[in-house]
Amino acid sequence: MHESVDALAGNQRTRKLKGIDVVMRCLVAAVPRGFTAEVMKPNASQRLDRVPVEEMSRVFSGGQELTGAILLYCALAALRTSPGPRSRTRNGGLLLLDNPIGRANAGYLVDIQMEMAAALGIQLIYTTGLSDEDVISRFPMRIQLRNDAEARSGLSLIRLDEQVRNALIPAPRITPDQDVPEPVGVLTSARLYRKQGDAQ
């Protein structure tokens, strides 16, 4: 590999090659007989079906392609932030996904994404406007928001949906003998993040 780089650098013709061209020439020099790359196809039965990379667009569905991309990101992020073989903690950061459920709306695909992310220490945050209960019910924490515009300042805000808020926060009782229905919703999970160094 070093010899290939030195040869490319010493040649007047190849000095101005783009980075991808240098990498490809070095790969050809390192593996003269060529190599193949295969990707495991996500499936509901979790069989180990391997597909050549060049066949992905033909064999994979749109949701499977997206799931494959998410899994690849998780693997690369975990590799980049790996603390070492002896450490038991992983923190690969988070990945904000813009409505992946629009394509990957099969429940098993979402399960695979979440299991892989959890195993590699990646936090996935999904955004969607869809109300597919079969998929939405798989998430341990859901926050329903709505777009809102402030008339005076002209700012666009995102607020907790009023219907959800009213369901979670009980209304005050006006008189002792007046029955006010209990809230229909409950807050099932919450997480508090405290910055290091805070006194309280």
Side-chain angles (χ1 to χ4, degrees):
M1 188 71 78
H2 292 293
E3 292 81 0
S4 301
V5 174
D6 292 340
L8 291 172
N11 191 329
Q12 197 72 13
R13 289 182 179 179
T14 57
R15 277 186 183 177
K16 296 183 179 180
L17 284 175
K18 294 181 179 179
I20 186 66
D21 295 326
V22 173
V23 171
M24 294 306 294
R25 291 194 182 201
C26 290
L27 278 175
V28 171
V31 192
R33 295 183 180 179
F35 58 88
T36 59
E38 294 179 329
V39 179
M40 286 189 291
K41 181 181 179 183
N43 56 74
S45 60
Q46 297 189 0
R47 293 190 317 270
L48 294 179
D49 292 340
R50 292 181 170 85
V51 177
V53 171
E54 61 271 18
E55 294 289 322
M56 284 180 62
S57 60
R58 187 180 66 82
V59 178
F60 281 34
S61 68
Q64 289 171 332
E65 280 187 339
L66 178 60
T67 299
I70 293 171
L71 301 186
L72 180 60
Y73 172 88
C74 290
L76 293 175
L79 185 64
R80 178 177 58 85
T81 59
S82 177
R86 295 185 180 180
S87 176
R88 296 183 178 181
T89 60
R90 279 187 183 274
N91 182 14
L94 65 88
L95 176 60
L96 183 62
L97 299 165
D98 182 12
N99 192 21
I101 298 173
R103 291 178 65 188
N105 62 345
Y108 77 91
L109 292 177
V110 176
D111 291 341
I112 291 172
Q113 295 166 19
M114 295 174 68
E115 288 171 10
M116 179 74 163
L120 296 177
I122 312 291
Q123 182 179 0
L124 298 182
I125 299 177
Y126 294 72
T127 63
T128 183
L130 300 178
S131 56
D132 188 338
E133 191 58 33
D134 181 54
V135 177
I136 300 296
S137 63
R138 286 173 155 77
F139 295 96
M141 186 183 302
R142 291 170 281 169
I143 302 175
Q144 191 169 347
L145 304 172
R146 64 182 173 85
N147 291 327
D148 197 8
E150 188 70 37
R152 295 180 181 177
S153 63
L155 297 175
S156 295
L157 307 173
I158 299 178
R159 301 187 186 209
L160 184 66
D161 188 273
E162 196 67 22
Q163 184 177 356
V164 176
R165 183 179 181 278
N166 291 339
L168 295 176
I169 303 174
R173 294 181 181 272
I174 301 173
T175 60
D177 57 347
Q178 182 181 4
D179 286 334
V180 177
E182 292 295 322
V184 295
V186 293
L187 189 61
T188 57
S189 61
R191 294 179 187 174
L192 173 64
Y193 174 75
R194 182 175 295 165
K195 293 183 179 179
Q196 292 182 355
D198 288 352
Q200 294 180 347

